[in-house]
Structures are given as structure tokens and as C-alpha cells.
Amino acid sequence: MTLLDLKRRHQAAQEQAAPPAHETDQIALREIEDKATGTLRQIIAAHGWPGRSLVGEIGAVAAWWIAQHATANPEFQQHALALVEEAVRAGEATPKQLAHLTDRCRIIAGQPQLYGTQFSYIQTGTPVPYAVDDPDQLDVRRAEMGLEPFDVFQVLIRTLYPPLEPPTTESTAC
């Protein structure tokens, strides 16, 4: 199975596991994430980071996607982050990918994010950014990574991921 296939399977499982998903959908998503992470680990062990020159632009994006979503495996994510940093310097990955993976790793480690790429939906049902380190310099750091200003990005996120509908308590039985 290719990296792109794994990414597509993950995206489909994510959609299926979106609230109000059943526990079985969440389990299926974790299984797909584990399989994708295992495959990416094998590729890295054999070839190093799967950058543009090894797997093409689409494959490189898929590799980054898999690393980005390997949240059950923070040690692997940290390893992938170091490899993506090297890949950016070598022109094999993008600064945007590095920014997103950096923030994801920091959130998982309980640290504030640097680039404002990560949002939580859990408590409010509405996308809320995780804490940001030195918010006054956020847009400067974002610009250095080729990201749009945070206010523009936040509008995009809230458009793509509207608030979750609260469950209704009305009975539909006749």
C-alpha cells in the first residue's frame, strides 16, 4: 500500500470517526493510524525521510500527513519532526509542513505552539486555538514559514470546521 493510499484511508476514517461517531469508528481510525505509522517507520528505516525526490510531491505530502496524525506515538512524531527539519533544509519538505508538525509535537508535549496551526474542538465544539508561545510574534513566525496571518487562518479553520451541532433532546418517536 502506498503512502497516498494510507493517507486516503486515514482521511476517510477521520470523516467516519467525526462526532457523533461510534466507538468502533474511533477504534478503526486508531488502527489505520497505527498501520500508516508502521509503514512510514519502515520506509524511514530503509530510505530516510520520504521527501520529494524519493516519493514525489504527493507522496511527500502523504508522508508528512501520516507523521502529523501519529499522535498515539509521540516518540515517533518527535523523530519525524527532526527528519522533516532536515528535509526542509534539503528542499525535500516545506516549511509549512514543519510548522504544522512542530505545533502538533509541542501540543502533545504540553507546550504552547509556535505557529498557531493547531485547534481543539473538544470542550466547545467550536475550533479554538491551543495556547501560543509569544503571541505578539506569532504572525512574524508564521510569515517565516510561508503561512498566512493567523487571523486569516483562523477564519479559514472556522469556515472549514463549523461548530458541532449540540445533540437534540427531543424525541422523534410517534
Side-chain angles (χ1 to χ4, degrees):
M1 185 169 290
T2 68
L3 291 169
L4 183 56
D5 292 332
L6 289 166
K7 177 188 176 209
R8 287 178 178 154
R9 287 186 67 203
H10 182 266
Q11 287 175 313
Q14 265 188 322
E15 289 176 21
Q16 186 68 34
H22 297 287
E23 185 177 342
T24 56
D25 297 323
Q26 294 293 329
I27 292 168
L29 175 61
R30 284 191 297 273
E31 288 172 356
I32 289 169
E33 286 174 353
D34 290 346
K35 178 178 176 58
T37 301
T39 301
L40 183 56
R41 272 184 199 271
Q42 291 172 346
I43 291 168
I44 289 169
H47 305 284
W49 182 256
R52 293 172 175 146
S53 63
L54 182 65
V55 295
E57 186 67 36
I58 294 171
V61 169
W64 163 78
W65 175 274
I66 292 167
Q68 177 79 1
H69 291 91
T71 55
N73 211 316
E75 297 84 19
F76 172 73
Q77 264 190 326
Q78 286 292 332
H79 177 63
L81 177 62
L83 295 174
V84 171
E85 287 175 2
E86 292 174 19
V88 168
R89 286 192 293 274
E92 294 289 325
T94 69
K96 289 179 182 182
Q97 292 167 343
L98 178 58
H100 282 266
L101 188 54
T102 297
D103 280 353
R104 182 68 60 99
C105 288
R106 289 178 66 91
I107 295 303
I108 291 170
Q111 301 171 331
Q113 57 183 331
L114 295 178
Y115 304 103
T117 64
Q118 304 298 300
F119 286 69
S120 173
Y121 311 86
I122 295 170
Q123 293 188 359
T124 65
T126 299
V128 176
Y130 284 97
V132 174
D133 189 25
D134 191 9
D136 292 338
Q137 294 299 308
L138 176 59
D139 280 336
V140 171
R141 289 190 304 273
R142 288 181 64 84
E144 290 170 354
M145 302 304 271
L147 298 167
E148 63 273 277
F150 180 74
D151 288 344
V152 172
F153 182 66
Q154 186 168 236
V155 168
L156 174 65
I157 291 297
R158 290 190 173 150
T159 301
L160 291 173
Y161 304 100
L164 299 174
E165 296 289 328
T168 61
T169 57
E170 297 176 2
S171 174
T172 57
C174 297

